[in-house]
């Protein structure tokens, strides 16, 4: 099954359903994080490997709670509806811009909070609509978009565009429908996380082996 990353990098997954089920049945992140009830506390972010102090989380929580009326958050339970909005009339762009302003506020006001941690915290509270933009994904995006200067708005908008486009839209819907019959609580964003994370992990390992002369 074919997927795209930021509509630029194409990668193949031989059995996406098996890959995701393997993740769910064997990974502590799924057991300790994904299976939590939707109304998660911010502290749950530590269960996906984010090293964030209690003081940092408290400050983040206050800032985010003051922005609970952001329009994008109402789509937390309906990613498809959000992706169905038009890009041309700036609807998605406006929502992403407001979300990016919130991320910038977190980064500007709390020491140690960068894009990766900010999106992990927001994803913990809004797992259906805010993707995790970790360092590994950012590094890949830098390779795809040489002009990127770290703006949250640009990488988030391209992430959502990527989900709207084919073959991701079709294949993700198919995988999600199948996986939902055997595992619970996964959002479509998390379903997509597993293939792209696995691809980037394999790519990094291949590059490492090549640099060590282990690949022929």
């Amino acid at each position: 099954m074919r997927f795209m990353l930021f509509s630029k990098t194409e990668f193949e997954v031989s059995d996406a359903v098996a890959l995701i089920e393997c993740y769910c049945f064997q990974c502590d992140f799924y057991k300790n994080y994904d299976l939590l009830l939707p109304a998660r506390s911010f502290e749950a972010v530590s269960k996906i490997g984010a090293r964030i102090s209690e003081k940092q989380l408290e400050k983040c929580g206050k800032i985010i709670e003051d922005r609970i009326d952001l329009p994008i958050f109402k789509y937390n339970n309906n990613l498809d509806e959000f992706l169905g909005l038009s890009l041309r009339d700036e609807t998605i762009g406006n929502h992403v811009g407001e979300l990016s302003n919130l991320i910038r506020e977190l980064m500007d006001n709390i020491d140690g909070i960068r894009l990766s941690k900010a999106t992990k915290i927001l994803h913990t509270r809004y797992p259906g609509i805010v993707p995790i933009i970790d360092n590994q994904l950012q590094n890949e995006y830098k390779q795809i978009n040489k002009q990127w200067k770290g703006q949250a708005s640009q990488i988030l908008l391209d992430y959502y565009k990527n989900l709207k486009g084919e073959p991701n839209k079709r294949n993700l819907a198919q995988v999600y429908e199948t996986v939902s019959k055997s595992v619970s609580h996964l959002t479509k964003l998390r379903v997509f996380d597993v293939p792209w994370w696995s691809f980037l992990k394999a790519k990094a390992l291949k590059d490492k082996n090549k640099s060590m002369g282990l690949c022929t």
Side-chain angles (χ1 to χ4, degrees), residues 191-209:
V191 166
F192 186 54
D193 274 354
V194 179
W196 72 246
W197 185 88
S198 300
F199 162 70
L200 291 182
K201 191 74 172 178
K203 181 182 177 183
L205 181 60
K206 181 179 179 180
D207 291 343
K208 180 180 179 181
N209 288 341

Side-chain angles (χ1 to χ4, degrees), residues 169-188:
K169 181 180 179 181
R170 177 182 66 256
N171 289 343
L172 183 57
Q174 179 182 333
V175 171
Y176 180 75
E177 181 180 2
T178 304
V179 165
S180 297
K181 296 174 183 177
S182 57
V183 298
S184 59
H185 287 68
L186 281 188
T187 64
K188 276 192 177 181

Side-chain angles (χ1 to χ4, degrees), residues 30-64:
Y30 175 72
K31 180 177 64 176
N32 297 328
Y33 180 80
D34 293 298
L35 284 177
L36 293 175
L37 294 175
R40 300 169 177 157
S41 66
F42 289 115
E43 287 75 11
V45 70
S46 64
K47 298 181 184 298
I48 50 173
R51 295 185 178 89
I52 303 174
S53 70
E54 184 177 340
K55 186 175 182 179
Q56 286 174 313
L57 276 177
E58 183 179 356
K59 291 181 178 180
C60 288
K62 290 179 180 179
I63 292 174
I64 294 170

